[in-house]
Every structure is written in structure tokens, then in C-alpha cells.
Amino acid sequence: DGRVFICGGHDGQKPLADAWIFNPADNTYAQVKSLPSARHFHGCITLAEGEVFVCGGVGGLGGPRLRDAHLYHPADDAYTRVADLPLPLERFGCAAMPDGRAFLCGGSSEGVQQVGAYLFDMAKQSYTAVPDLPGLRYDHRCAGLPDGRVLIVGGEGVGSTTTLAFDPAAGKYAKVSDLPLHGLDRRQAPGCASLPGGRVLVHGGRGSKRGQNPDFIGAVDIFHAPSVNPAPSSPVATSTTPPPMSLNVVLDDSLALPTAP
């Protein structure tokens, strides 16, 4: 419905359980029921039915790594416990898919970086392992595409500067446009959101220049991801080869926004 659910995180001293809903229509935040337990570095995605899937994370500074998962129901302001993750996970990627499933990949478990990937079927309350990521990756982001693929963006690890698209039907990963690093060596923990028309908004993140302290990225980029299966009226409707994804830089931290007239 256009609202945004925000939950958990860390205030510099402890993990948080607070949850809020932001309504862009009137530019307000409304506090809602807190998470069942405080956490940061967790996953949080809105599923096709409008419920929010919250899973994993860390319960404190050096605290327990979590594998519990919950559904938040906005209409009832309540949480329902669902099937636990296959293993405790933090700093992993997750995305909602058009068919209602959730995709999870990479991250870290008890200090060990992961390549594993899973599809969670809410109706069956089960996780199915799918092919591993091509390399270790954590602090990355994922976004579902209208054609069922998942875009995997940024992070830390070998190959993390390469943006991937995972096709669950084929069980394969494909390299797409390299992620703009804007002068840094990597782009960890960027913001990432699916937009209408198969586009994905990627904003911010952090990285470093070799031998220098970490720095933050102020740029905003948009990926354009054409469908694998064009509409029947298209002259290339029989093609099974995914078209290339393209990238536009729409706002860099060196550019100023225009002022309102």
C-alpha cells in the first residue's frame, strides 16, 4: 500500500526491537508492535500478500546469532512465528519473489562466511537449498524482479563488485552490469529496492580506497532489468536468452539537487 516497515537495528550500545511504519502520503512515522526480540544485521522483506518477513540477525554486540523468523501482519499489528532459518544468519541477502517465496543467500553464520542460498515457501513452511553463490558474499543486498529472477548487489567478498542475477527456474547465476563503486574498492550494505518496470534502485553503501579508512557512498543508481520472457506481441517473444541489464547513475554525491521554484 506504499507504506514502509522499519524494524530493529542498533543504537551504538545495544540492538533494538522497535518497529515503525512510515507513511509517505503524510510524511509520518507510526510506532507499531516491537519485534519479538531485539536484533540487527537481520533480513526484512515484504512478501506478495503484504506481510513482512523478518528473520535472523544478531541479538547483541558479540551476542547470539539468530535463526528465528517471524511474519508481521500490519492489519493486526501482530507477529507469527514461522519456520526457523536453516542456520543462524547475519548480514545476508534476501528478497521477495513474485510467487510469494523468499530468496536468501550468503551472509555469515557464527563468524563463517557463507555461499549457501535458499528459497523459503511460506505455505509449506520449508526451505529448499538452491545452487550456491559463485563466491563468498556478505553485507550484500537482493531485489526481486518481475520475471522471477533475483538481483544480487554489492557486499564484501570475492567477486562482490559483480552484480548477479539468479534465475530460480534454471537454477543458474548470470553476471550482469558491474556495480558502480564511485571511486572506492567495494560497496557494502547499499540500500536496494525494487521499482516498477523491472528497475532496481541502489543507493549509498560504504567502501574504502586502498590503504585508507572506510568511507561512505552518496550515489544513487538505477538498474534496468528487461524481462526474460517478453510479452507475446514482442517480435523476440520466443527468445530464452536474458537481455543485458543496463545501469544509469541518477544522482552522485558530487551533484546538487535543483531547488524548488
Side-chain angles (χ1 to χ4, degrees), residues 176-243:
V176 295
S177 302
D178 287 335
L179 180 65
L181 302 180
H182 301 280
L184 302 181
D185 63 350
R186 63 187 183 278
R187 194 165 178 180
Q188 288 177 258
C192 189
S194 300
L195 299 176
R199 298 173 299 160
V200 176
L201 179 74
V202 181
H203 59 93
R206 65 180 184 272
S208 66
K209 296 180 180 178
R210 298 298 182 185
Q212 298 184 21
N213 292 329
D215 198 2
F216 292 94
I217 299 168
V220 180
D221 306 292
I222 291 181
F223 281 91
H224 299 262
S227 173
V228 173
N229 302 304
S233 59
S234 169
V236 293
T238 59
S239 173
T240 58
T241 302

Side-chain angles (χ1 to χ4, degrees), residues 67 83-89 104 118 127-129:
R67 60 180 296 183
D84 287 354
L85 299 177
L87 71 170
L89 280 176
L104 305 92
Y118 307 88
Y127 295 85
T128 301

Side-chain angles (χ1 to χ4, degrees), residues 50-78:
E51 296 168 322
V52 181
F53 180 53
V54 182
C55 57
V58 180
L61 283 175
R65 271 56 182 175
L66 307 174
R67 60 180 296 183
D68 59 314
H70 307 264
L71 268 189
Y72 174 69
H73 309 272
D76 303 321
D77 192 24

Side-chain angles (χ1 to χ4, degrees), residues 8-196:
H10 203 281
D11 66 2
Q13 296 182 331
K14 62 184 185 303
L16 305 173
D18 297 356
W20 305 78
I21 288 181
F22 173 66
N23 189 344
D26 56 12
N27 200 34
T28 59
Y29 291 86
Q31 190 161 15
V32 294
K33 188 172 183 178
S34 296
L35 296 174
S37 63
R39 65 192 65 211
H40 61 125
F41 293 140
H42 53 291
C44 180
I45 54 174
T46 303
L47 300 177
E49 298 296 323
E51 296 168 322
V52 181
F53 180 53
V54 182
C55 57
V58 180
L61 283 175
R65 271 56 182 175
L66 307 174
R67 60 180 296 183
D68 59 314
H70 307 264
L71 268 189
Y72 174 69
H73 309 272
D76 303 321
D77 192 24
Y79 296 88
T80 299
R81 181 78 176 259
V82 294
D84 287 354
L85 299 177
L87 71 170
L89 280 176
E90 60 176 295
R91 301 163 76 170
F92 56 99
C94 60
M97 302 178 65
D99 62 6
R101 293 180 295 172
F103 174 77
L104 305 92
C105 66
S108 177
S109 180
E110 305 292 358
V112 179
Q113 295 178 30
Q114 302 293 310
V115 295
Y118 307 88
L119 288 173
F120 176 53
D121 188 317
M122 190 67 63
K124 297 179 180 178
Q125 289 289 296
S126 63
Y127 295 85
T128 301
V130 295
D132 291 348
L133 293 171
L136 296 168
R137 188 180 295 223
Y138 66 97
D139 270 350
H140 52 293
R141 297 293 181 264
C142 298
L145 301 174
D147 58 25
R149 290 180 293 167
V150 179
L151 196 70
I152 303 167
V153 177
E156 175 75 18
V158 177
S160 62
T161 60
T162 297
T163 299
L164 302 173
F166 175 65
D167 183 347
K172 294 182 179 180
Y173 297 88
K175 176 183 176 180
V176 295
S177 302
D178 287 335
L179 180 65
L181 302 180
H182 301 280
L184 302 181
D185 63 350
R186 63 187 183 278
R187 194 165 178 180
Q188 288 177 258
C192 189
S194 300
L195 299 176

